[in-house]
Amino acid sequence: MTSADQILDALARYCERISEAGHYGVFTWIGDLDAWVRTAAGTLRPGGRLVVVDMHPLAQMLESIDPLFIDFPYADDGPHRCRSSGTYADPSAVISATETVQWAHSVGEITPPSP
C-alpha cells in the first residue's frame, strides 16, 4: 500500500465516524451549492447533521455603512472576480495571489424549504 493509499484509507475510516460536521463562512467560495451539499452529506454517517454558520448575505453586500455603499449582489448572479491586496482576516497582509472568485447566495438559496 502506498502512502497515498494509506492516507485515503485513514480518511475513509475517519469519515465513517463523522456524525456532525460544521462549516463557517463558506458560501461565498462555493459556486454550486447543490454539489457542495451532496459532498458534505456524503461525509456524514446515517442520521448525522451538518451545521452551517455563515454571515447573512446582506452583510456581504456592504462595502461600508457610513457612507452606505453596496458593492456585491444579494443573490446568485454568477461568479465575481475580486482583487484585494490583503486577506479578509488581515487586510494589511502582503500576498502574492490577489484575485479570488466569489459567489453571492440569498437566504433562500442556502436554507432548505420548510417540510
Side-chain angles (χ1 to χ4, degrees):
M1 183 178 283
T2 68
S3 60
D5 290 331
Q6 291 170 326
I7 291 169
L8 290 174
D9 186 53
L11 181 60
R13 286 193 313 274
Y14 172 76
C15 287
E16 287 173 3
R17 295 191 309 262
I18 296 175
S19 62
E20 185 172 305
H23 293 277
Y24 179 78
V26 299
F27 291 126
T28 195
W29 311 112
I30 299 171
D32 186 343
L33 290 176
D34 290 334
W36 178 81
V37 167
R38 284 191 305 274
T39 301
T43 67
L44 300 171
R45 69 179 182 198
R49 296 185 306 165
L50 175 65
V51 177
V52 177
V53 178
D54 212 307
M55 293 183 290
H56 191 284
L58 181 60
Q60 294 176 296
M61 294 173 58
L62 302 175
E63 175 69 24
S64 67
I65 295 175
D66 189 20
L68 182 62
F69 183 69
I70 297 173
D71 74 334
F72 205 72
Y74 176 75
D76 185 18
D77 65 344
H80 292 260
R81 295 195 178 284
C82 305
R83 290 198 178 277
S84 175
S85 58
T87 71
Y88 66 91
D90 183 1
S92 64
V94 177
I95 57 174
S96 59
T98 59
E99 184 177 85
T100 61
V101 178
Q102 300 176 28
W103 286 263
H105 299 290
S106 69
V107 170
E109 292 172 73
I110 60 177
T111 56
S114 298

